Every structure is written in C-alpha cells, then in structure tokens.
Amino acid sequence: MIDFNRPPIVGTEQKYFQEALESGKLCGDGNFTKRASAWLENKFQVRYCYLTTSCTAALEMGSWLCSLEPGDEVIMPSYTFVSTADAFVLRGAKIVYVDIDPKTMNMNADLIEEAITDRTRAIVPVHYAGVACDMDKIMAIAKKHNLKVVEDAAQGVNAYYRGKALGTIGDYGCYSFHETKNYSMGEGGAIVFNREEDRERAEIVREKGTNRSKFFRGQIDKYTWVDYGSSYLPSELNVAYLWAQLQVFDQIQEKRMAIWNYYNETLKPLADAGYIEQPYIPDYAQHNAHMYYIKVKDLNVRTDLIRYMKEKGVLCVFHYIPLHLSEAGRRFGRFSGEDVYTTRESERLMRLPMFYNLEEKDMEYTAECLLNYPGFH
Ligand SMILES: *Cc1c(COP(=O)(O)O)cnc(C)c1O
C-alpha cells in the first residue's frame, strides 16, 4: 500500500534526540528551540518567531493578540481546517465565511469588502496548498478598514508571495509543523510577527500569563502572573526532530517539488482531454509543493476514483468539508454572499501521495494508475 503521507525521516534524528537527552533539559525554550526559532527568523526575514505546540496554538495566540471582544467578526474562507475558525471562536468571535476562487481554492479577495461590517476586526487568509493568497489586495483592504490580518500559513512554510515568506506579510503568521506538513516535529507550529510592541504580550500569552521570558533574559529579578495566558511551548525533543530537517531544508523542498512537477507533467494529458483540472499557481506565488491535487468532474467521479486507487493500493484522499456545512460551523458563523464555489470545488478535489520519503517508483505507479483509470477514457 502506498501511503498518502508519512512523517519525514532525514537520518540525523537520533543524533539530535541524543543531544537533547544529554542536555538535561527537555522543557520549552531550551537550546534547540532557541536555535530553531533564530534559524527560522533568519530564513524568513521576520523579527520574531516563537515555536508552539501546534499551528492551532499559534492561531490561538494570534487571536489573543488581536484583542477580540465577544461578538467581533473575523473573515476567513469556509474551505479550511477547523483550527482556523476554532482559535477565534474561543475568544467569542463570530466567523464570517467568504467564498473561494476556484482557480487557487484560496479565499476570493474581491469578496472580502462586502463581508465587512462594523463588528469586523480581522481577516484570516489561508494559503491553501502553500499557494499564496492575493496579499497586496488583502493588506490594502485591512489597512483601509483598520483590520488585523492573521495569516494561516500552516501549509505555507517556505512558500512566498512576491518574494516575501508567507506568514510574514500580515500582522501575525502561523505555521504548522504537524507530521502532515512539509517540515515536521510530530505536533508543532510557530507564530511569527514583526512588531516589537507585540513581543511582550506574545511571550506572556505563551508562558501561562507570566513574564517568565523576561526573567530568563535577565530583565527582571523574579517572574510573576501578569495577564491571561496558556502553555504553548513545545518540548525540546520535538524541536530536535524539526532541527534535523532544518539542516536539509532546501533538499526537502527540492524533493517535494520534483514529485509535484512529475505529477503535473505526467497527468497533463488528462487535463488536456478535459478529465481533470490541475493546480493553478498565480504569477505572484512561489509555492512549496505542499500538496498535489487534481479536480475531477464531480463528487461521484471522485468517490469512484478514490475507491479505484485504493484497490490499486494507492491512498488518495479528499480534503476539507466546508466549515459552514458543519454543525459548529453554522452555530459560530455565517456565510457572506453566496456559496458558488466552496462546496462544489471541495467535492471535486483529490490529493495524491506526497511526502519527502515517497519513493520514485511509488510516485510513478500512482500516476500510471490515474492514467489508466477507466473513467478517464
Ligand atoms: C494543518 C493545518 C492547521 C492546523 O495545524 P496543527 O499544527 O495541526 O494545529 C491549521 N490550518 C491549516 C490550513 C492547516 O492545514
């Protein structure tokens, strides 16, 4: 069976685990965390990077930093993972869903303004598949209406918008290092931002509402409870696993890109014949090969294709069921305007196996199975 995903193994994990064990300190903000966050700050040219236990946790920090009041509204696509919404619902916010652009599956920036009310406080663009949203447009709208922008760049690590790293363009950016993402620590994430004024509050929220980070820097002589907060620090063991991948950062991206390009070229005849649609990458986006998906005619074809691929021994999966169709999604939010594409496009999308250690022969076999699918003849 060809798996849909496997966590990356680069070969140096044991060495770094051993180093973490010997350091005698496995709790948060040890040596690996310090090195990894500095590395990421430098790589993505962002002032502050704080590692967290997940992207969900990073989004929660982001929603806290937006200082939302119950009843405030937050704009985002419905075609996304639950965490995007959950993090804001926890602060009492109401979610306002905006339809996607079928070409990229990202929120359609042209529909944002009509979703804005006098309760709107933030926009949360999700860079689906590591393909950038139209950030110039989104930032201009945010500026005009005085809104915060929290980028859900869970899938956008090492992807760029006009040369700028995704996550570093809005007020706050959130990354995921979950094992299904390009770079992984099992469970993990990070929040990044540039404004110095946000630093102290971010540190307090992340450290259980205390000013312990300041204490560790020697800026105060004892630490105390100063505000609300939670615990968002990952263990050093998790970060040691991520550190191994940071050492071969480009190599991981190149490998994923090679798989993505192979699928894209090999399956082109199916697109030319009108059986599938392939991913679209706008000029402004430099993607990171997070995902390779195809879109077929409709839900029936997709269901049959997933079944056929499974019979052939290849695990392909569909993706999000739109949030506004779920019970909680309806309770906590509303759809702005009409759902023209969100549901329809989500039902047509199928993802192919894509991970760092995917073997060439498995990739070739996957494409071959698709080319031979009876429904495509
Ligand atoms: C994976 C993902 C998340 C959640 O990431 P975790 O690290 O698992 O919390 C949030 N948003 C999007 C778009 C994702 O793909």
Side-chain angles (χ1 to χ4, degrees):
M1 196 58 112
I2 300 174
D3 284 319
F4 166 69
N5 178 68
R6 282 203 211 158
I9 296 171
V10 300
T12 48
E13 288 83 357
Q14 295 291 347
K15 181 174 102 181
Y16 294 123
F17 283 151
Q18 193 60 34
E19 196 180 318
L21 290 177
E22 284 165 10
S23 76
K25 183 178 156 78
L26 295 182
C27 68
D29 283 346
N31 234 310
F32 278 107
T33 303
K34 283 190 190 126
R35 276 191 271 169
S37 34
W39 194 96
L40 292 163
E41 282 163 3
N42 181 52
K43 175 75 189 174
F44 299 141
Q45 292 298 297
V46 68
R47 214 143 158 213
Y48 301 109
C49 172
Y50 289 91
L51 293 182
T52 57
T53 46
S54 64
C55 181
T56 306
L59 286 160
E60 281 180 28
M61 281 183 67
S63 79
W64 248 327
L65 292 168
C66 287
S67 302
L68 301 176
E69 302 283 337
D72 283 349
E73 294 180 355
V74 177
I75 293 172
M76 64 180 64
S78 168
Y79 186 68
T80 184
F81 190 59
V82 284
S83 303
T84 318
D86 242 345
F88 295 89
V89 166
L90 279 175
R91 307 259 59 76
K94 192 170 168 74
I95 308 300
V96 178
Y97 308 108
V98 165
D99 207 9
I100 52 169
D101 177 342
K103 277 163 92 178
T104 56
M105 304 300 283
N106 283 335
M107 176 161 64
N108 184 341
D110 293 330
L111 300 175
I112 292 175
E113 265 196 302
E114 59 198 65
I116 293 173
T117 71
D118 53 6
R119 294 307 308 262
T120 308
R121 296 289 174 268
I123 306 172
V124 187
V126 178
H127 305 293
Y128 186 71
V131 177
C133 294
D134 192 341
M135 289 310 288
D136 281 346
K137 244 183 217 169
I138 291 171
M139 294 311 289
I141 295 167
K143 194 168 173 205
K144 181 173 160 198
H145 296 272
N146 194 24
L147 307 174
K148 296 280 190 201
V149 174
V150 182
E151 294 179 69
D152 182 339
Q155 303 176 13
V157 177
N158 205 20
Y160 299 82
Y161 172 83
R162 297 193 196 283
K164 277 191 204 161
L166 300 189
T168 69
I169 303 160
D171 295 87
Y172 312 107
C174 303
Y175 296 140
S176 176
F177 299 121
H178 185 262
E179 73 170 33
T180 52
K181 301 302 196 308
N182 291 28
Y183 302 93
S184 168
M185 47 198 257
E187 297 275 358
I191 184 167
V192 296
F193 53 87
N194 281 303
R195 266 195 314 267
E196 222 241 301
E197 309 90 87
D198 287 320
R199 183 189 189 188
E200 190 164 343
R201 270 194 78 210
E203 288 183 342
I204 290 167
V205 165
R206 184 166 166 271
E207 268 281 22
K208 302 97 182 162
T210 73
N211 53 5
R212 187 149 78 172
S213 301
K214 240 178 161 173
F215 169 71
F216 282 137
R217 276 199 303 273
Q219 293 170 328
I220 43 176
D221 59 9
K222 57 177 183 295
Y223 77 86
T224 179
W225 185 22
V226 289
D227 205 346
Y228 49 67
S230 187
S231 181
Y232 293 130
L233 291 74
S235 155
E236 282 285 286
L237 276 175
N238 294 49
V239 187
Y241 177 74
L242 177 68
W243 184 250
Q245 290 154 56
L246 298 185
Q247 306 316 300
V248 288
F249 202 71
D250 294 339
Q251 188 181 315
I252 291 177
Q253 178 106 328
E254 280 159 24
K255 173 74 189 286
R256 296 187 74 106
M257 205 57 89
I259 298 169
W260 198 99
N261 288 333
Y262 176 83
Y263 282 148
N264 208 45
E265 277 154 36
T266 314
L267 301 177
K268 196 164 175 296
L270 295 178
D272 291 341
Y275 290 114
I276 66 166
E277 274 172 47
Q278 295 182 291
Y280 168 79
I281 313 293
D283 287 343
Y284 54 66
Q286 190 187 333
H287 76 104
N288 59 359
H290 171 60
M291 182 193 307
Y292 195 87
Y293 68 76
I294 58 171
K295 287 197 278 183
V296 297
K297 183 163 157 277
D298 57 25
L299 182 59
N300 287 334
V301 175
R302 186 183 70 181
T303 307
D304 189 62
L305 184 56
I306 289 176
R307 180 199 52 76
Y308 161 85
M309 292 301 280
K310 197 170 170 193
E311 272 170 24
K312 296 282 171 194
V314 184
L315 291 178
C316 295
V317 300
F318 58 84
H319 215 183
Y320 310 126
I321 294 172
L323 296 183
H324 75 286
L325 302 181
S326 70
E327 193 191 318
R330 274 199 303 264
R331 179 145 47 102
F332 297 124
R334 68 176 166 83
F335 205 95
S336 164
E338 223 183 309
D339 168 11
V340 180
Y341 296 110
T342 299
T343 302
R344 197 182 89 187
E345 298 300 304
S346 73
E347 288 178 344
R348 308 200 299 131
L349 186 142
M350 186 183 85
R351 305 168 67 187
L352 311 190
M354 160 69 84
F355 52 92
Y356 177 64
N357 301 93
L358 181 65
E359 287 181 40
E360 221 163 83
K361 67 171 177 34
D362 290 346
M363 162 188 94
E364 288 164 7
Y365 176 73
T366 297
E368 187 190 312
C369 289
L370 281 167
L371 291 170
N372 291 330
Y373 172 57
F376 291 157
H377 293 280

